[in-house]
Amino acid sequence: MDKYAKFLVWLKEREVDNLAIWLQEFELAEKGSEKAIINIALLYKQYGNFGEMYDLLNEMSERKNSEAMYELANCYIEGLGGKGSEHQALSLYKSAAQLGHRDAMNNLADMYFNGEATEVDEKKAFFWFEKAAELGVPEAMYTLGIMYEQGLGTKCNASKALDYYKRSAALQYVEAKYRLGMIFYSGELNQQQNDREAINWFRQAGEHFHVDAIYNLGYCYEHGHGVMQDVDRAMAYYKQASILGDIEATKRVVDYYEKANSIEATKWHEKLKSLENLNELDGI
């Protein structure tokens, strides 16, 4: 059985969708298309064929393909198939970053920032986050906001911190939206306290199911911060946060129903106990 036929059998055994597209991709890979080879490797990754995945990504990495280096580093970080290490991932991210791969730049910066497989080096982290941000990586922009805000790897600069948070939020990075909400809610980074502006950012973050943003919206509606006080709407937000696993939001719902509806209070008490038990298990 030739390679094409074996690949077709493999696809059918795993009930992979879009057979014709994947067969065409396999043909391109056999003709030497580096993009197609990487796509096939990632398909193998998706379906747990780590041996074939590593073979293809290693081959492409040796050809100095930055995307292959980045994906191989990701596999090492994830520990797939019991192969690789964080040190190998660091080396691959560095090589890919030097070849201009923006996500590799961001991940390399993260490793320097958090001291993964290397000593913490805030200046190197700042350097690579800045490079990644220049190429449009919203996570890098957000982290630069933190670094400018806290003076990590650079001098504190409230104006630049705020600018990076806004740039990241404009690219739909949810943590940046939430951070902006907190900045305006608390009047941080030399900004005037502004509940309405805070709520705007909390709403945007909440659309991405950011649980803390949703909780804060409940709190604002409960207490009339920046909006007309509306307990029913507050409870709706608290319930949404509770569904996402927030214990404090669940306590707020319990407190409300203890005064208004004993049957609902009992139900939400059970929900609270369940979340607290899960939280205890996560802490073990």
Side-chain angles (χ1 to χ4, degrees), residues 8 37 92 95-96 141 160 172 231 254 258 278-279:
L8 177 57
I37 291 170
L92 284 162
S95 295
M141 296 173 188
K160 287 185 177 180
Q172 306 306 310
V231 176
V254 169
E258 282 183 338
L278 284 173
N279 192 54

Side-chain angles (χ1 to χ4, degrees), residues 153-221:
T154 187
K155 292 182 180 179
C156 285
N157 188 315
S159 177
K160 287 185 177 180
L162 186 68
D163 179 61
Y164 272 117
Y165 288 139
K166 287 184 175 180
R167 287 171 58 187
S168 180
L171 293 173
Q172 306 306 310
Y173 193 68
V174 63
E175 290 298 336
K177 293 182 177 185
Y178 175 69
R179 183 72 194 104
L180 284 166
M182 290 304 299
I183 287 167
F184 286 105
Y185 188 78
S186 303
E188 301 172 36
L189 295 180
N190 302 324
Q191 300 304 299
Q192 186 175 353
Q193 199 278 336
N194 187 326
D195 286 338
R196 289 190 176 184
E197 184 73 5
I199 286 172
N200 171 52
W201 288 112
F202 289 147
R203 280 185 177 139
Q204 290 191 48
E207 290 171 0
H208 297 273
F209 304 103
H210 191 291
V211 64
D212 292 330
I214 294 168
Y215 175 88
N216 286 356
L217 285 168
Y219 189 86
C220 288
Y221 273 101

Side-chain angles (χ1 to χ4, degrees), residues 39-71:
N39 286 341
I40 296 296
L42 295 179
L43 180 68
Y44 284 142
K45 177 182 180 180
Q46 181 180 348
Y47 286 90
N49 191 347
F50 300 136
E52 293 285 354
M53 174 198 74
Y54 277 120
D55 286 345
L56 293 178
L57 291 179
N58 273 311
E59 178 188 345
M60 289 299 98
S61 294
E62 289 171 1
R63 294 191 200 177
K64 304 300 180 185
N65 183 295
S66 63
E67 182 68 14
M69 292 174 179
Y70 167 74
E71 292 293 352

Side-chain angles (χ1 to χ4, degrees), residues 70-90:
Y70 167 74
E71 292 293 352
L72 183 57
N74 290 344
C75 293
Y76 286 157
I77 289 289
E78 294 166 33
L80 298 182
K83 292 186 179 182
S85 67
E86 285 190 348
H87 288 90
Q88 287 172 292
L90 178 71

Side-chain angles (χ1 to χ4, degrees), residues 178 182 185 195 198-207 210-242 244 246 248-253 256:
Y178 175 69
M182 290 304 299
Y185 188 78
D195 286 338
I199 286 172
N200 171 52
W201 288 112
F202 289 147
R203 280 185 177 139
Q204 290 191 48
E207 290 171 0
H210 191 291
V211 64
D212 292 330
I214 294 168
Y215 175 88
N216 286 356
L217 285 168
Y219 189 86
C220 288
Y221 273 101
E222 182 182 7
H223 297 280
H225 293 174
V227 290
M228 290 291 292
Q229 190 174 22
D230 187 334
V231 176
D232 289 337
R233 199 162 183 180
M235 288 305 118
Y237 279 119
Y238 285 145
K239 287 176 182 179
Q240 187 179 350
S242 175
L244 295 171
D246 191 273
E248 290 305 315
T250 311
K251 289 179 179 178
R252 295 268 179 181
V253 177
Y256 173 76

